[in-house]
Amino acid sequence: MVFKKVAVLMMRCLGISKQPTLPAPPAETAESSSIDVEICGSKGIRLSDGRFLAYTERGVPMNKSNYTVIVVHGFGSSKEMNFMASQDFLEELKICLLLFDRAGYGESDPNPKRSLKSEASDIEELADKLQLGSKFFVLGVSLGCYPVWGCLRRTPNRLAGVALVVPYINYKWPSLPSDLTKDDYRKGLSHWAVFVASHAPRLLYWWLTQKLFPSSTVLDRNPAFFSRKDIEVLKITPGYQLLSQNKVRDRTVFDSLRRDFVVAFGKWDFDPLELCNPYPQRESTVHIWQGHEDKVVPVQLQRHVSGKLPWIRYHEVPDGGHLLVYDSDVCEAILRSLVLGEDPPQMYRPQC
């Protein structure tokens, strides 16, 4: 059944049927005049179009940090996502992780006009409202990497450094070679999913919320969908509840998820594989982190992307799956390479 496959793709290709969330203890925060609004106890800013964008801080307080890293969560997640760098590590390097709810997620207002441009603009406006300076660090995770690609395309001069962690791949990028994608079932399903989400949203809503034929239980800890290490994480971590049927029944939640998926997997106004090096003098660095055993994003495609963009530093975790952000050693290596410019351990170099 087509709609079963579409529903599975929307959850499985993005690794979100069980995207775990274990909120870390909040960092001690200080009063700051840069906070525009506080709604129901949540800190946030008021964007230029009037939307509320909620955020939280982890590590050291923003006004005491040496480095502030904006973290962009993936599909079906929120600012409460986990990134397993230890508190001791963050304090040692004086890093503040600034996590925010993307439009329509968590406590942020939805954006009916969501686009590649608006997602990148939200990040830039967040940095400006919080007075992060002329340049700032950005770290995207999974589907949360498409707003970061937008930043690289539109405002590369604002980026002090970029980390793309298990970035998803849009099969509509024109430069992807057919010999790498022709036998990849994800390609056909992604096209079907975008078509259904765009042209038959009511039918998709019915399928995701009906109880007769469960649409997501097939994914739970299934080795066809998750690597061995991913399954180990899922065994001890509760799934993120945004995508429970009760949550998806909320049309605001459903519409936000649908728009996010369509923008991510739809036609873009640029091809990331044709981006020129925005940092010829090595003013900033860009990193891709990929799990060799990732069953959501094929490692062969990620290697092709990095090969087409030699100015991006490519790192591969040999036994890593899609849930790299739940490995503390990997998270700390990501941050060291991002903010300090350190070369990661040799074990993270791709093995032919």
Side-chain angles (χ1 to χ4, degrees), residues 273-313:
L273 275 64
E274 294 182 351
L275 289 177
C276 295
N277 182 1
Y279 310 115
Q281 305 302 319
R282 298 185 178 180
E283 309 95 306
S284 300
T285 57
V286 183
H287 303 259
I288 285 179
W289 288 81
Q290 171 71 19
H292 182 78
E293 303 300 325
D294 193 336
K295 295 187 179 182
V296 176
V297 182
V299 68
Q300 294 84 357
L301 283 183
Q302 208 69 271
R303 287 179 175 181
H304 176 79
V305 170
S306 64
K308 291 283 287 185
L309 302 171
W311 46 273
I312 292 182
R313 301 181 184 183

Coordinates of all heavy atoms in Angstrom, one line a residue, residues 273-313:
L273 N 25.7 20.5 -4.1 CA 26.9 19.9 -4.7 C 27.6 20.8 -5.6 O 28.7 20.5 -6.1 CB 26.5 18.6 -5.4 CG 26.5 17.3 -4.5 CD1 25.4 17.4 -3.4 CD2 26.3 16.1 -5.3
E274 N 26.9 22.0 -6.0 CA 27.6 22.9 -6.9 C 28.0 24.2 -6.2 O 28.4 25.2 -6.8 CB 26.6 23.3 -8.0 CG 26.3 22.1 -8.9 CD 25.4 22.4 -10.1 OE1 24.8 23.5 -10.1 OE2 25.2 21.6 -11.0
L275 N 28.0 24.2 -4.8 CA 28.4 25.3 -4.1 C 29.9 25.5 -4.2 O 30.7 24.5 -4.1 CB 28.1 25.2 -2.6 CG 26.6 25.3 -2.2 CD1 26.5 25.0 -0.7 CD2 26.0 26.7 -2.5
C276 N 30.3 26.7 -4.5 CA 31.8 27.0 -4.5 C 32.3 27.2 -3.1 O 31.5 27.5 -2.1 CB 32.0 28.3 -5.3 SG 31.6 28.2 -7.0
N277 N 33.5 27.0 -2.9 CA 34.1 27.1 -1.6 C 34.0 28.6 -1.1 O 34.5 29.5 -1.6 CB 35.6 26.8 -1.6 CG 36.3 26.9 -0.3 OD1 35.7 27.2 0.7 ND2 37.6 26.6 -0.3
P278 N 33.2 28.8 0.0 CA 33.0 30.1 0.5 C 34.1 30.6 1.4 O 34.1 31.8 1.8 CB 31.6 30.0 1.3 CG 31.6 28.6 1.8 CD 32.3 27.8 0.7
Y279 N 35.1 29.7 1.6 CA 36.2 30.1 2.5 C 37.5 29.8 1.9 O 38.3 28.9 2.4 CB 36.0 29.4 3.9 CG 34.6 29.5 4.5 CD1 33.8 28.4 4.6 CD2 34.1 30.7 4.9 CE1 32.5 28.5 5.1 CE2 32.8 30.9 5.4 CZ 32.0 29.7 5.5 OH 30.8 29.9 6.0
P280 N 37.8 30.5 0.8 CA 39.1 30.2 0.2 C 40.3 30.5 1.0 O 41.4 29.9 0.8 CB 39.1 31.1 -1.1 CG 38.1 32.2 -0.7 CD 37.1 31.6 0.2
Q281 N 40.2 31.4 2.0 CA 41.3 31.7 2.9 C 41.2 30.9 4.2 O 41.9 31.3 5.2 CB 41.3 33.2 3.1 CG 41.4 34.1 1.9 CD 42.6 33.8 1.0 OE1 43.7 33.6 1.5 NE2 42.4 33.7 -0.3
R282 N 40.4 29.9 4.2 CA 40.1 29.1 5.4 C 39.6 30.0 6.6 O 40.0 29.7 7.7 CB 41.4 28.4 5.8 CG 41.8 27.4 4.7 CD 43.0 26.5 5.2 NE 43.4 25.6 4.1 CZ 44.4 24.7 4.3 NH1 45.1 24.7 5.4 NH2 44.7 23.9 3.3
E283 N 38.8 31.0 6.3 CA 38.2 31.8 7.3 C 37.3 31.0 8.3 O 37.3 31.3 9.4 CB 37.4 32.9 6.7 CG 38.1 33.7 5.6 CD 37.8 33.2 4.2 OE1 37.9 32.0 4.0 OE2 37.4 34.1 3.4
S284 N 36.7 30.0 7.7 CA 35.8 29.1 8.5 C 36.0 27.7 8.0 O 36.6 27.5 7.0 CB 34.4 29.5 8.4 OG 34.2 30.9 8.9
T285 N 35.5 26.8 8.8 CA 35.6 25.4 8.3 C 34.2 24.7 8.4 O 33.3 25.1 9.2 CB 36.5 24.5 9.3 OG1 36.0 24.6 10.6 CG2 37.9 25.0 9.2
V286 N 34.0 23.8 7.5 CA 32.7 23.0 7.4 C 33.0 21.6 7.5 O 34.0 21.1 6.9 CB 32.0 23.3 6.0 CG1 30.7 22.6 6.0 CG2 31.8 24.8 5.8
H287 N 32.3 20.8 8.3 CA 32.5 19.4 8.6 C 31.2 18.6 8.3 O 30.1 19.1 8.6 CB 32.9 19.2 10.0 CG 34.1 20.0 10.5 ND1 35.3 19.4 10.6 CD2 34.2 21.3 10.9 CE1 36.2 20.3 11.0 NE2 35.5 21.5 11.2
I288 N 31.4 17.4 7.8 CA 30.4 16.4 7.7 C 30.8 15.2 8.6 O 31.9 14.7 8.5 CB 30.1 15.9 6.2 CG1 29.4 17.0 5.4 CG2 29.3 14.7 6.2 CD1 29.1 16.6 4.0
W289 N 29.8 14.8 9.4 CA 30.0 13.6 10.2 C 29.0 12.6 9.9 O 27.8 12.8 9.9 CB 29.9 14.0 11.7 CG 31.1 14.8 12.2 CD1 31.3 16.2 12.1 CD2 32.2 14.3 12.9 NE1 32.4 16.5 12.7 CE2 33.0 15.4 13.2 CE3 32.6 13.1 13.4 CZ2 34.2 15.3 13.9 CZ3 33.8 12.9 14.1 CH2 34.6 14.0 14.3
Q290 N 29.5 11.4 9.5 CA 28.7 10.3 9.0 C 29.0 9.0 9.7 O 30.2 8.7 9.9 CB 28.9 10.2 7.5 CG 28.2 8.9 6.8 CD 26.7 9.1 6.7 OE1 26.2 10.2 6.8 NE2 26.0 8.0 6.6
G291 N 27.9 8.2 10.0 CA 28.1 6.9 10.5 C 28.3 5.9 9.4 O 27.5 5.9 8.5
H292 N 29.3 5.1 9.5 CA 29.6 4.1 8.4 C 28.4 3.1 8.3 O 28.1 2.6 7.2 CB 30.9 3.4 8.6 CG 31.2 2.4 7.6 ND1 31.8 2.8 6.4 CD2 31.1 1.0 7.5 CE1 32.0 1.7 5.6 NE2 31.6 0.6 6.3
E293 N 27.8 2.8 9.4 CA 26.7 1.8 9.4 C 25.3 2.5 9.4 O 24.3 1.8 9.6 CB 26.8 1.0 10.7 CG 28.1 0.2 10.9 CD 28.5 -0.7 9.7 OE1 27.5 -1.3 9.2 OE2 29.6 -0.8 9.3
D294 N 25.3 3.7 9.0 CA 24.0 4.5 8.9 C 23.1 3.8 7.9 O 23.4 3.7 6.7 CB 24.2 5.9 8.6 CG 23.0 6.8 8.8 OD1 21.9 6.3 8.8 OD2 23.2 8.0 9.0
K295 N 21.9 3.4 8.3 CA 20.9 2.8 7.4 C 19.8 3.8 7.0 O 18.9 3.4 6.2 CB 20.3 1.6 8.0 CG 21.3 0.5 8.3 CD 20.6 -0.8 8.7 CE 21.6 -1.9 9.0 NZ 21.0 -3.2 9.4
V296 N 19.9 5.0 7.4 CA 19.0 6.1 7.0 C 19.6 6.9 5.9 O 19.0 7.2 4.9 CB 18.7 7.0 8.2 CG1 17.8 8.2 7.8 CG2 18.0 6.3 9.3
V297 N 20.9 7.3 6.0 CA 21.6 8.0 4.9 C 22.8 7.1 4.5 O 23.7 6.8 5.2 CB 22.2 9.3 5.5 CG1 22.9 10.1 4.3 CG2 21.0 10.2 6.0
P298 N 22.7 6.6 3.2 CA 23.8 5.7 2.8 C 25.2 6.3 2.8 O 25.3 7.5 2.3 CB 23.3 5.4 1.3 CG 21.9 5.7 1.3 CD 21.7 6.8 2.2
V299 N 26.1 5.6 3.3 CA 27.5 6.2 3.4 C 28.1 6.5 2.0 O 28.8 7.4 1.8 CB 28.4 5.2 4.2 CG1 28.6 3.9 3.5 CG2 29.7 5.9 4.6
Q300 N 27.7 5.7 1.0 CA 28.2 5.9 -0.3 C 27.8 7.3 -0.9 O 28.6 8.0 -1.5 CB 27.7 4.8 -1.3 CG 28.3 3.4 -1.0 CD 27.4 2.7 0.1 OE1 26.5 3.2 0.6 NE2 27.8 1.4 0.4
L301 N 26.6 7.7 -0.6 CA 26.1 9.0 -1.1 C 26.8 10.1 -0.3 O 27.2 11.1 -0.9 CB 24.6 9.1 -0.9 CG 23.7 8.4 -1.9 CD1 22.2 8.6 -1.6 CD2 24.0 8.8 -3.3
Q302 N 27.0 9.9 1.0 CA 27.7 10.9 1.8 C 29.1 11.1 1.3 O 29.6 12.2 1.3 CB 27.6 10.6 3.2 CG 27.6 11.8 4.2 CD 26.3 12.6 4.1 OE1 26.3 13.5 3.3 NE2 25.4 12.2 4.9
R303 N 29.8 10.0 1.0 CA 31.1 10.1 0.5 C 31.2 10.8 -0.9 O 32.1 11.6 -1.2 CB 31.7 8.7 0.3 CG 32.1 8.0 1.6 CD 32.7 6.6 1.4 NE 33.1 6.0 2.6 CZ 33.7 4.8 2.7 NH1 33.8 4.1 1.6 NH2 34.1 4.3 3.8
H304 N 30.1 10.6 -1.7 CA 30.1 11.3 -3.0 C 29.9 12.8 -2.7 O 30.6 13.6 -3.4 CB 28.9 10.8 -3.8 CG 28.7 11.5 -5.1 ND1 29.5 11.3 -6.2 CD2 27.9 12.5 -5.4 CE1 29.1 12.1 -7.2 NE2 28.1 12.9 -6.7
V305 N 29.0 13.2 -1.8 CA 28.8 14.6 -1.5 C 30.1 15.3 -1.1 O 30.5 16.3 -1.6 CB 27.8 14.8 -0.4 CG1 27.7 16.2 0.1 CG2 26.4 14.4 -1.0
S306 N 30.8 14.6 -0.2 CA 32.1 15.2 0.3 C 33.1 15.2 -0.8 O 34.0 16.1 -0.8 CB 32.6 14.4 1.5 OG 32.9 13.1 1.2
G307 N 33.1 14.2 -1.7 CA 34.0 14.2 -2.8 C 33.8 15.4 -3.7 O 34.8 15.9 -4.3
K308 N 32.5 15.7 -3.9 CA 32.2 16.9 -4.8 C 32.5 18.2 -4.2 O 32.6 19.2 -4.9 CB 30.7 16.8 -5.2 CG 30.3 15.6 -6.1 CD 30.7 15.9 -7.5 CE 29.8 16.9 -8.2 NZ 30.1 17.1 -9.6
L309 N 32.6 18.2 -2.8 CA 32.9 19.5 -2.1 C 34.1 19.3 -1.3 O 34.1 19.1 -0.1 CB 31.7 19.8 -1.2 CG 30.3 20.0 -1.9 CD1 29.2 20.1 -0.9 CD2 30.3 21.2 -2.9
P310 N 35.3 19.3 -1.9 CA 36.5 19.0 -1.2 C 36.9 20.0 -0.1 O 37.8 19.7 0.8 CB 37.6 18.9 -2.3 CG 37.0 19.8 -3.4 CD 35.5 19.6 -3.3
W311 N 36.3 21.1 -0.1 CA 36.5 22.1 1.0 C 35.8 21.7 2.3 O 36.0 22.4 3.3 CB 36.1 23.5 0.5 CG 34.8 23.6 -0.1 CD1 34.5 23.4 -1.5 CD2 33.5 23.9 0.5 NE1 33.2 23.5 -1.7 CE2 32.5 23.9 -0.5 CE3 33.1 24.2 1.8 CZ2 31.2 24.1 -0.3 CZ3 31.8 24.4 2.0 CH2 30.9 24.4 1.0
I312 N 35.0 20.7 2.2 CA 34.3 20.2 3.4 C 35.1 19.1 4.0 O 35.6 18.2 3.3 CB 32.9 19.7 3.1 CG1 32.0 20.9 2.8 CG2 32.3 19.0 4.3 CD1 30.5 20.5 2.5
R313 N 35.4 19.1 5.3 CA 36.1 18.1 6.0 C 35.2 16.9 6.3 O 34.2 17.1 7.1 CB 36.8 18.6 7.2 CG 37.8 19.8 6.9 CD 38.4 20.3 8.2 NE 39.3 21.5 7.9 CZ 40.0 22.1 8.8 NH1 40.0 21.7 10.1 NH2 40.7 23.2 8.5

